[in-house]
């Protein structure tokens, strides 16, 4: 699936610091910076924060490919980071990274388990350990998510990063073989508890019947014989 694309208007900005940022926000703009290994220096720009929200309002969300329009030119970018007001939830500052179609970029993707695990059908418990994964992909071919098929997963088995079948052009660059999901056996206590309760009931009943003192204590007192005259 091709990466979703959006456009965003931007302007070159002059000045820096809190004073300049306040003046920008008073005009409905926020300060932003564009970084990139092919850029000689970072680009200091201003953008409409509402425009940022609109640009990433796609299925790819933060991994949406944005065409930044800057004067007569522009840059193809990804939104890498932003600062948000904790009370108003307004975006206060944004960082973009400029990308080239032929250069892989590092993105964070959600991990989604698919299928019905064989071990679950046998009573096992499936637990997803890792819900996001950092991968490398070409900007125009960033997947929506990493899908992991657990259909053949059995009890006491696990799926790790090295087991994944990644989409073409997508790779994981890590020395750690992270665990994605595990399928554990049911707890022994949970299995034994019902049996223990069932076997305890007849034993208790038998114990009560075998106790003559308990039976005598509950029996009514016998009537006394009449006295001889």
């Amino acid at each position: 699936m091709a990466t979703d694309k959006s456009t965003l208007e931007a302007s070159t900005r002059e000045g820096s610091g809190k004073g300049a940022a306040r003046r920008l926000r008073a005009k409905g703009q926020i300060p932003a910076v564009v970084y990139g290994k092919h850029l000689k220096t970072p680009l200091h720009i201003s953008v409409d924060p509402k425009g940022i929200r609109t640009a990433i309002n796609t299925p790819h969300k933060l991994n949406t490919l944005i065409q930044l329009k800057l004067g007569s030119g522009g840059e193809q970018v990804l939104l890498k980071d932003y600062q948000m007001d904790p009370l108003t939830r307004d975006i206060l500052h944004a960082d973009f990274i400029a990308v080239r179609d032929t250069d892989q970029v590092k993105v964070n993707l959600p991990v989604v388990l698919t299928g019905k695990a064989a071990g679950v059908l046998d009573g096992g418990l499936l637990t997803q350990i890792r819900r996001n994964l950092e991968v490398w992909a070409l900007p125009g071919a960033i997947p929506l998510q990493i899908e992991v098929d657990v259909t053949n997963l059995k009890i006491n088995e696990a799926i790790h990063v090295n087991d994944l079948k990644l989409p073409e052009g997508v790779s994981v660059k890590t020395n750690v073989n992270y665990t994605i999901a595990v399928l554990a056996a049911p707890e022994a206590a949970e299995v034994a508890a019902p049996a223990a309760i069932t076997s305890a009931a007849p034993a208790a009943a038998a114990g009560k019947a075998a106790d003559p003192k308990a039976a005598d204590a509950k029996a009514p007192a016998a009537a006394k014989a009449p006295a001889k005259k």
Side-chain angles (χ1 to χ4, degrees):
M1 179 180 180
T3 308
D4 290 309
K5 297 183 179 181
S6 298
T7 58
L8 178 64
E9 297 285 346
S11 302
T12 303
R13 64 181 170 93
E14 300 293 338
S16 60
K18 294 182 178 179
R22 280 196 296 267
R23 288 191 292 272
L24 276 177
R25 295 185 186 112
K27 299 176 182 178
Q29 299 282 301
I30 61 167
V33 181
V34 180
Y35 301 93
K37 63 181 182 180
H38 62 274
L39 298 177
K40 292 182 179 180
T41 58
L43 302 177
H44 296 271
I45 61 173
S46 62
V47 294
D48 182 349
K50 294 180 181 178
I52 294 178
R53 292 186 183 276
T54 300
I56 62 174
N57 187 25
T58 74
H60 274 86
K61 299 180 180 178
L62 291 178
N63 294 325
T64 302
L65 201 57
I66 302 172
Q67 184 60 44
L68 200 64
K69 293 185 176 181
L70 188 60
S72 59
E75 289 288 344
Q76 183 174 248
V77 301
L78 290 171
L79 178 62
K80 295 306 293 181
D81 196 14
Y82 59 89
Q83 296 175 8
M84 183 178 288
D85 187 294
L87 297 178
T88 65
R89 311 301 293 172
D90 292 334
I91 299 176
L92 304 177
H93 185 278
D95 288 332
F96 298 92
I97 181 170
V99 297
R100 291 288 184 262
D101 289 333
T102 55
D103 294 337
Q104 283 194 326
V105 292
K106 182 171 63 176
V107 293
N108 199 35
L109 297 180
V111 176
V112 178
L113 304 184
T114 64
K116 188 73 172 180
V120 171
L121 299 177
D122 293 332
L125 178 64
L126 177 64
T127 302
Q128 184 171 349
I129 305 300
R130 201 165 190 86
R131 298 188 177 276
N132 291 278
L133 189 63
E134 196 173 77
V135 304
W136 291 79
L138 291 175
I142 300 173
L144 279 175
Q145 58 197 22
I146 298 298
E147 296 186 356
V148 181
D149 186 2
V150 298
T151 303
N152 296 322
L153 196 63
K154 300 176 182 178
I155 290 177
N156 293 328
E157 291 184 344
I159 295 178
H160 299 86
V161 168
N162 291 349
D163 302 320
L164 299 181
K165 295 180 180 179
L166 297 172
E168 185 177 355
V170 177
S171 61
V172 177
K173 298 180 181 180
T174 176
N175 294 324
V176 182
N177 191 20
Y178 294 111
T179 301
I180 301 298
V182 295
L183 212 159
E187 292 293 334
E190 294 178 1
V191 176
I197 294 173
T198 303
S199 60
K208 289 181 180 180
D211 187 352
K213 292 182 179 180
D216 291 343
K218 293 182 180 180
K224 293 183 178 180
K228 293 183 179 180
K229 293 181 179 180

